[in-house]
Amino acid sequence: MKKLIYIIVASLVMYSCEQKQATEQNKTKEVSSTEEFPFFIPSEKPNRPLSKAVKRNYDAYEHIRPEASELYTQFKYTKLKGFDYNDGDGTITRRDPSKVIFENGKYYVWYTHRKSPVKPVGMSRAKEATDVIPSADWDLSDIFYATSEDGFTWEEQGVAVPRPPKPQPGWRSVTTTDILKFKGKYYLYFQAFMEASGLRGDFCPVSVAWADSPDGPWHHTGKIVIPNGPEGSWDQYSIHDPYPLVHDGRIYLYYKGDFDKRPEFKPSKIRMQGLAIAEDPLGPFTKHPLNPVINSGHETTLFPFKEGVAAIVQRDGQEHNTIQYAKDWVNFDIASITEMLPVAAGPFVPDAFTNTKDGRGITWGISHVINAGGNWRHTILVRFDCDLSQDVDDQKMKDHYMNYRPEFLYKHGLNAKQKARIKKQTDELKKQ
């Protein structure tokens, strides 16, 4: 009997405590719902009603402050020394740099190089292109490389992969290359054009060359390693910007596709990024079943970060101007939103090929500018610096915005058609 009484009393006490705790929690909820949001923002999501936007601050991002995130940065740009562009007349272009690597006591970078007697006629006039007249900035190009002692002054070493003879893939142009080091050998993946850009669009697959040294000689396989997709698929025409990294002992090669071209939308193409995986650098590559894995971005720029991979997603798409992260290397989330992201960036990624499980991030690289000197066909290479690194904490790289000079803004003014439309609207208002 005493045991039964003890059990009943204990149960009543426990029930009373639970009721008291529930009452206190309800009081807290009531108080929280009537209080103003605090001046000092809680580091963890507070137990109170929150708007969808504030909830997203806690649920979607690593930190509530951009500057506290390792995957947030601004970008600084520096003019490179050592490259001649023939006074910017459009006859020499250097663009679409590879990742930068450090070998033999110096930095290496590979890139699209064109030197033609005249500047490109433009993709809309591609039928006027010949064997010496390029249609686009990257038409009739070869892959060159340069080396540097400090990353600021470069010495061009000449051609690495020339255009092969017709009809091999790339006979028209070899462009937009990137570098892989795998089991002691080096591989350059590139877009292999077999027609002038603009005849049907920007159609091409991916081919590859290999060498025992970053200085070559390079052996063009003459084979397509990443083929275009079947008819009706998102990558049936364009396999651009091949970008290899090593993960789980395999080659993870990211690439961009252009698709859904419709005349009612300008720019009329959607650009997304896919993934192909191989055990061997020469293939076969298997495209991931979830492709495309990134829904935005004009070029591919990725780097191992912690256990996953980060991507700089600039230009084009709903999520342009973002830095994204995929812990599983496939499913990307927005890590930060920033501005002035490098175009066609080739970062220095020391652990790109080490099969790391703790990627350290990046602090600099090479990108291109396509309207240098006011001529869009005149494309140059520049250096960018940033803080997307676990090993650096440069708060000067973490500013929230850039202050633009009025002259920069005025350059992006109204065109004649827009001015006429506005004048017409004003004139109609005056008549009312």
Side-chain angles (χ1 to χ4, degrees), residues 234-247:
W234 74 287
D235 59 358
Q236 66 174 324
Y237 296 133
S238 299
I239 306 285
H240 291 177
D241 293 50
Y243 192 99
L245 297 168
V246 176
H247 174 58

Side-chain angles (χ1 to χ4, degrees), residues 404-413:
Y404 300 101
R405 294 182 180 275
E407 292 76 17
F408 173 82
L409 300 177
Y410 299 151
K411 288 181 180 179
H412 301 274

